[in-house]
Amino acid sequence: MAIAHFPLKLVGRRMLAPSVGHYSFVRDDGQPLDFIPGQFIQVHFTYADGTATKRSYSLATIHDHAMGPGEAVEIAVSYVPGGAATALFEGLPEGGHVEASGPFGRFCLMPGDRNARYLLIATGTGVTPYRSMLPQLEALMAERGVEVVLLQGARTPTELLYGEDFRAFADAHPGFRYVPCLSRELPADPHPDVRQGYVQQHLGEFVPDAARDIAYLCGNPDMVDACFEALKGHGLPIPQIRREKYVSSK
């Protein structure tokens, strides 16, 4: 069965970090884009020689799915020097179009989960799916008292993608802890939950526990592998560790 493609129209953009842009699109064929938080879309384009290619982007959209499918399609795009996708997005005017397909993927919160806590771990644009999960997490915290810890790795405070969104959510929800792990530079007046170093160095502080935790790992493959081994070392069975690796491609 052929995958249906659809047009997306750019309606806004802003810089999230020095080399990452946040792009807002609407589906421009009159159809809604219904998705499960954690899923991704693919953007299709051609190289200069005409060869077809595509890139995958997790949906960052915060949308209350109780209201029905949404129109907004928000993604975070890492700029890679000399990259073909970077050239496509940097050169796209507001009102311009890209061709997309999806949504795809199973990196989602599962309806049957009965865990007491989620450990959400990310580096770089790997944090994007967790932004789209915030309304679902809010509902789960209210419905069954689930706790959430988000460990987000970055080099510097300016590279913490969506950090203001996560801090505001944590301030409004006592069951949600937001723990930025910064490897190169701390802010001048850090929040008590800010840590220095890599996410995998601070995972042990939260005492992963097979009886209560489900973990999500998304981002740099080395980080995903290191945290996967650490979580197994704490006794988490593999079905309670859900992974998605992000590889930057030109």
Side-chain angles (χ1 to χ4, degrees):
M1 182 176 142
I3 294 168
H5 290 201
F6 49 83
L8 293 178
K9 180 172 76 173
L10 183 66
V11 293
R13 75 169 99 198
R14 61 186 167 92
M15 294 306 291
L16 286 177
S19 63
V20 182
H22 175 87
Y23 285 75
S24 299
F25 295 92
V26 292
R27 185 163 166 164
D28 206 28
D29 60 357
Q31 298 295 310
L33 182 78
D34 203 13
F35 70 96
I36 302 166
Q39 289 189 308
F40 63 91
I41 59 167
Q42 291 184 328
V43 172
H44 301 260
F45 61 102
T46 55
Y47 288 123
D49 66 1
T51 308
T53 187
K54 61 192 177 190
R55 297 285 181 276
S56 298
Y57 297 99
S58 282
L59 291 155
T61 313
I62 296 177
H63 170 61
D64 180 356
H65 287 72
M67 304 297 288
E71 290 189 345
V73 179
E74 298 178 12
I75 59 174
V77 177
S78 291
Y79 295 161
V80 180
T86 298
L88 169 76
F89 282 103
E90 284 192 314
L92 191 66
E94 259 190 58
H97 288 80
V98 294
E99 184 184 342
S101 61
F104 306 106
R106 297 191 182 92
F107 190 73
C108 306
L109 300 171
M110 300 298 177
D113 287 348
R114 292 294 173 262
N115 54 312
R117 184 173 67 167
Y118 285 111
L119 297 173
L120 308 179
I121 304 159
T123 54
T125 52
V127 82
T128 308
Y130 304 145
R131 184 179 188 256
S132 75
M133 289 176 185
L134 290 176
Q136 262 191 329
L137 291 167
E138 184 174 49
L140 290 170
M141 287 189 280
E143 286 163 16
R144 58 183 188 88
V146 74
E147 294 175 21
V148 183
V149 178
L150 170 58
L151 289 151
Q152 181 181 10
R155 292 180 299 182
T156 67
T158 59
E159 294 178 17
L160 279 173
L161 308 183
Y162 304 116
E164 291 173 1
D165 295 333
F166 294 127
R167 175 60 63 217
F169 190 84
D171 288 346
H173 300 86
F176 185 96
R177 276 188 76 183
Y178 174 51
V179 185
C181 300
L182 299 164
S183 60
R184 291 201 187 160
E185 175 194 318
L186 291 177
D189 183 22
H191 186 283
D193 277 342
V194 171
R195 300 288 180 269
Q196 184 159 20
Y198 297 103
V199 288
Q200 54 267 39
Q201 293 173 296
H202 295 284
L203 192 51
E205 176 188 339
F206 299 95
V207 197
D209 178 359
R212 60 192 301 259
D213 290 332
I214 291 175
Y216 284 74
L217 308 174
C218 193
N220 176 292
D222 293 337
M223 178 281 291
V224 170
D225 291 342
C227 288
F228 182 67
E229 292 305 321
L231 289 163
K232 284 198 299 183
H234 281 280
L236 259 70
I238 290 171
Q240 286 169 232
I241 310 171
R242 298 165 185 170
R243 296 173 284 173
E244 193 153 276
K245 294 180 180 181
Y246 274 38
V247 182
S248 285
S249 53
K250 294 191 175 186

